[in-house]
Amino acid sequence: MTGGARPRRLAVISVHTSPLAQPGTGDAGGMNVYVWQTAQRLARRGVEVEIFTRATSSADRPVVEAAPGVLVRHIEAGPFDGLDKRDLPGQLCAFSANVLRVEAAQSPGYYDVIHSHYWLSGQVGWLARDRWRVPLVHTAHTLAAVKNASLAGGDTAEPMGRLIGEQQVVAEADRLVANTRTEAAELVDLYGASPAKIDVVPPGADLDAYSPGSRAAARAELGLDPGDTVVTFVGRLQPLKAPDVLLAAMAPLLRADATGTLRLLIVGGPSGTGLEHPAALAELADAMGVADRVTFLPPQPAATLAQVYRASDLVAVPSFSESFGLVAVEAQACGIPVIAADVGGLGVAVRDGVTGRLVDGHDIATWTAELADLLADPARLQRYGAAAVTHAQGYSWEHTTDALLASYGAAMGNFPAGPIRRGVLGRRTRGLLKNRPRMAG
Ligand code: UDP
């Protein structure tokens, strides 16, 4: 990564997730945390940050100073509430128009760089880039081609419209920020991205909020029994995150536990297709005869979530796909070992046999055996937990912010002075789309 230029003012586009929303339910998750954590740190480094997100309540003021140097601009596009994420592509024109109007009301050259998060924002950013003549840096966060290759049962495939939209943004963006080398390779192999414009920038954890602490105090605060063994899931409750896989894998262990001290703690709210039947997990626990051994908590703010991690013996991240997995890093930063599916960024976030366990696939019996193995060996859990703290120190938002600044600098340094060239679709992407309706490129 090169580039010494530094933006004075950055336009962050985050159409479908407001950094002000509580993560862990609905559409709010790791991306919100990413945008919010990096925005504050960029502002502390002297960059003025303006975040454009869709207004989802009539109470949303058009401009909110969310932190010193960080403005959140609520953009009207479609109804405030009740708009499904799947209907958002139809509102992109309205969203884009209102973003362009905000800029048009400012002095010329108001923004120096645009950073778009998720493909919907990339579509808006691409247009703004052409109009404002400033570079577009894009982070995909998740990729439909990757998600569709490892769908959870009960999840629906991402539509072709998203695949097409993603590849357009990949072609048009001046730089692409990938969470891991795996994601960088996916951008190249599946979407035909030019490797030269990809920066690998790992996300982080808020190491001030997530740090080791007293398990006994955390349990007392959360009303958990000090003598229990607690396995914890944290995240949006939807098939992709596989809380049902964890529940099914834990059920035989919970039933066989004669001491009655093993407990499963599930923290988060319904999201995605999980919204269609929010009571599904509780019903599953009931059907498996373990309802009294499973505790559900609604989404928690970071301070309480840190206590949730500290109260746990083991945190499980069984997702079907995960571009990074912030929960895994946060738990480790609190000194808690993690058992995770060996998918996407989790293979980087967790060090197998050092800070936790990486499990291949989602076979329930395999997960039960791996969980039983770990829970039977408290000394190993303690060893992994100690190593986890050190491992997590390598992932801080400060580091992410430094790397983003380098990426912005490179984008500014390479931005063409002349006419903006049309994005070029990669060969492989054309292959992906070849049986689809004809499109330019
Ligand atoms: N989160 C939270 N409160 C909750 C559950 C989750 O603040 O009750 C946050 C969590 O701290 C993490 C993010 O939501 O930073 C989830 O990010 P992750 O990368 O694990 O999953 P994603 O939501 O991006 O799929």
Side-chain angles (χ1 to χ4, degrees):
M1 242 180 286
T2 55
R6 174 175 286 226
R8 281 165 304 129
R9 193 176 287 111
L10 171 74
V12 174
I13 304 186
S14 177
V15 174
H16 79 292
T17 58
S18 166
L20 303 178
Q22 167 64 54
T25 190
D27 291 334
M31 196 177 110
N32 303 59
V33 175
Y34 190 117
V35 169
W36 180 234
Q37 292 291 333
T38 56
Q40 291 175 87
R41 284 167 177 79
L42 285 163
R44 279 184 223 138
R45 284 160 170 71
V47 180
E48 287 181 44
V49 181
E50 300 200 359
I51 304 168
F52 293 84
T53 191
R54 201 177 78 83
T56 54
S57 158
S58 57
D60 284 341
R61 280 175 288 133
V63 189
V64 176
E65 182 165 10
V70 181
L71 295 188
V72 173
R73 291 189 180 275
H74 290 115
I75 300 296
E76 281 198 31
F80 291 129
D81 50 32
L83 189 68
D84 192 280
K85 187 176 165 194
R86 285 166 294 198
D87 292 323
L88 281 174
Q91 295 306 319
L92 285 184
C93 184
F95 191 93
S96 302
N98 284 327
V99 169
L100 295 182
R101 283 174 189 164
V102 168
E103 193 269 351
Q106 311 293 343
S107 50
Y110 192 69
Y111 300 107
D112 300 308
V113 176
I114 303 162
H115 189 168
S116 55
H117 294 271
Y118 196 68
W119 76 276
L120 293 167
S121 308
Q123 291 276 320
V124 180
W126 161 24
L127 178 62
R129 186 275 308 259
D130 279 21
R131 291 291 300 272
W132 304 346
R133 305 193 60 80
V134 297
L136 171 66
V137 177
H138 178 71
T139 307
H141 291 277
T142 64
L143 292 166
V146 176
K147 185 177 170 190
N148 285 351
S150 52
L151 279 182
D155 241 347
T156 44
E158 291 297 312
M160 186 48 69
R162 174 174 168 187
L163 281 160
I164 295 168
E166 283 179 336
Q167 63 80 31
Q168 287 166 332
V169 175
V170 164
E172 292 288 345
D174 297 284
R175 292 206 79 73
L176 296 165
V177 171
N179 283 335
T180 60
R181 283 202 210 115
T182 306
E183 190 186 335
E186 287 159 355
L187 286 165
V188 173
D189 295 343
L190 303 174
Y191 289 87
S194 155
K197 72 176 187 183
I198 303 177
D199 295 317
V200 176
V201 178
D206 181 349
L207 298 176
D208 295 327
Y210 298 110
S211 60
S214 156
R215 176 165 294 161
R219 290 205 177 167
E221 185 180 323
L222 297 169
L224 292 168
D225 196 298
D228 277 1
T229 299
V230 180
V231 176
T232 300
F233 172 97
V234 171
R236 296 175 293 129
L237 303 179
Q238 58 165 298
L240 178 82
K241 295 283 188 179
D244 51 333
V245 170
L246 177 64
L247 178 53
M250 283 290 293
L253 304 180
L254 291 166
R255 285 193 298 261
D257 169 39
T259 61
T261 56
L262 185 58
R263 178 155 293 278
L264 176 61
L265 176 60
I266 297 181
V267 183
S271 168
T273 51
L275 282 162
E276 288 159 21
H277 194 161
L281 272 184
E283 287 169 13
L284 186 63
D286 204 24
M288 293 184 158
V290 295
D292 59 333
R293 312 291 286 279
V294 182
T295 303
F296 289 94
L297 287 181
Q300 301 296 322
T304 318
L305 197 54
Q307 293 292 64
V308 165
Y309 294 133
R310 291 175 192 133
S312 308
D313 291 276
L314 180 65
V315 166
V317 187
S319 313
F320 280 87
S321 76
E322 197 73 69
S323 81
F324 196 74
L326 297 184
V327 160
V329 182
E330 293 163 1
Q332 291 175 91
C334 292
I336 309 305
V338 174
I339 180 170
D342 191 4
V343 297
L346 288 170
V348 175
V350 178
R351 289 189 63 198
D352 191 27
V354 179
T355 69
R357 264 315 264 136
L358 289 169
V359 180
D360 272 334
H362 294 82
D363 175 62
I364 304 291
T366 305
W367 272 82
T368 301
E370 293 284 359
L371 285 160
D373 196 40
L374 280 172
L375 294 172
D377 192 349
R380 182 147 65 116
L381 288 179
Q382 209 157 20
R383 211 169 49 245
Y384 285 177
V389 181
T390 312
H391 176 58
Q393 296 298 315
Y395 296 95
S396 73
W397 290 118
E398 300 297 335
H399 177 261
T400 309
T401 305
D402 289 338
L404 288 181
L405 278 171
S407 191
Y408 301 155
M412 288 165 76
N414 295 329
F415 197 64
I420 291 174
R421 278 163 297 149
R422 178 164 164 266
V424 179
L425 301 191
R427 243 185 321 134
R428 288 190 184 81
T429 310
R430 285 202 295 267
L432 186 74
L433 302 171
K434 72 174 181 283
N435 295 325
R436 300 286 152 184
R438 260 180 65 78
M439 56 182 298

